[in-house]
Amino acid sequence: MIHAPNFPLEFDDTYGYSNVAGLKQLVFFHLKNLLFTNPGEKISDPEYGVGVRRYLFEDLTDERLNNISSDITDAIEGYLSYLELQSVTVVPSGENSINIAVRYSIQSTNFSDVLVFSVSDTNSRRLF
C-alpha cells in the first residue's frame, strides 16, 4: 500500500513530509483521489479516476446509478487492489447531489470499514 502525505503539508525531519496517520485515513485519501480524479486528468495514467462530479448534471436513472457503481467498482479493483470490496452503493440525495458508500475490507488484515461520500455541485464531503 502506498503512503500519502498528510494535509496540510507538514515537514518531518526523518521522512520529509509527514504521512497520514492510520489505515482508515490512508484508505480515505486513496479512495477520494480515485473517485474525484477525472479520467485523463492524470497525465501518467489517462485511465486513472472515476470523475464522479461529471455525473451530477445527468439524469440519475437506475441504469445511470448502476453504471456509476460499476465504474467505481472497476476503478477500485484496478487501482486499489489491496481493498476487498463488499459493496458500492450510489444513491441520489437531492438535486445535483449523490451519496456514495463503499464497504470494504483490507486483505490480510481484520480491518473493514464503510466510507460514505456526499458529492454535490457545490461541495464534496465525507459522511460517517
Side-chain angles (χ1 to χ4, degrees):
M1 185 177 332
I2 300 171
H3 292 281
N6 193 23
F7 289 99
L9 292 175
E10 296 177 7
F11 188 72
D12 181 326
D13 290 332
T14 307
Y15 300 108
Y17 290 108
S18 62
N19 289 322
V20 295
L23 193 55
K24 186 173 184 171
Q25 187 179 4
L26 181 63
V27 170
F28 174 71
F29 178 86
H30 288 288
L31 275 172
K32 182 178 176 183
N33 283 320
L34 184 63
L35 293 176
F36 292 105
T37 301
N38 290 314
E41 190 174 345
K42 186 174 181 181
I43 295 172
S44 63
D45 188 352
E47 300 296 316
Y48 180 87
V50 177
V52 292
R53 284 193 185 104
R54 65 189 168 137
Y55 297 110
L56 292 177
F57 296 99
E58 295 185 13
D59 187 24
L60 295 176
T61 63
D62 288 341
E63 181 180 356
R64 174 69 66 202
L65 295 171
N66 287 335
N67 289 343
I68 297 169
S69 180
S70 293
D71 290 348
I72 292 169
T73 299
D74 293 344
I76 290 172
E77 289 174 353
Y79 290 98
L80 303 178
S81 59
Y82 59 88
L83 297 181
E84 291 181 14
L85 281 178
Q86 277 97 37
S87 66
V88 175
T89 307
V90 180
V91 294
S93 63
E95 189 173 324
N96 301 331
S97 180
I98 56 176
N99 287 338
I100 300 168
V102 179
R103 183 175 302 277
Y104 66 91
S105 61
I106 297 181
Q107 298 171 2
S108 304
T109 70
N110 292 330
F111 185 82
S112 63
D113 197 11
V114 59
L115 291 176
V116 180
F117 299 87
S118 177
V119 183
S120 71
D121 57 344
T122 56
N123 65 5
S124 301
R125 65 182 189 280
R126 180 179 181 181
L127 304 174
F128 290 96

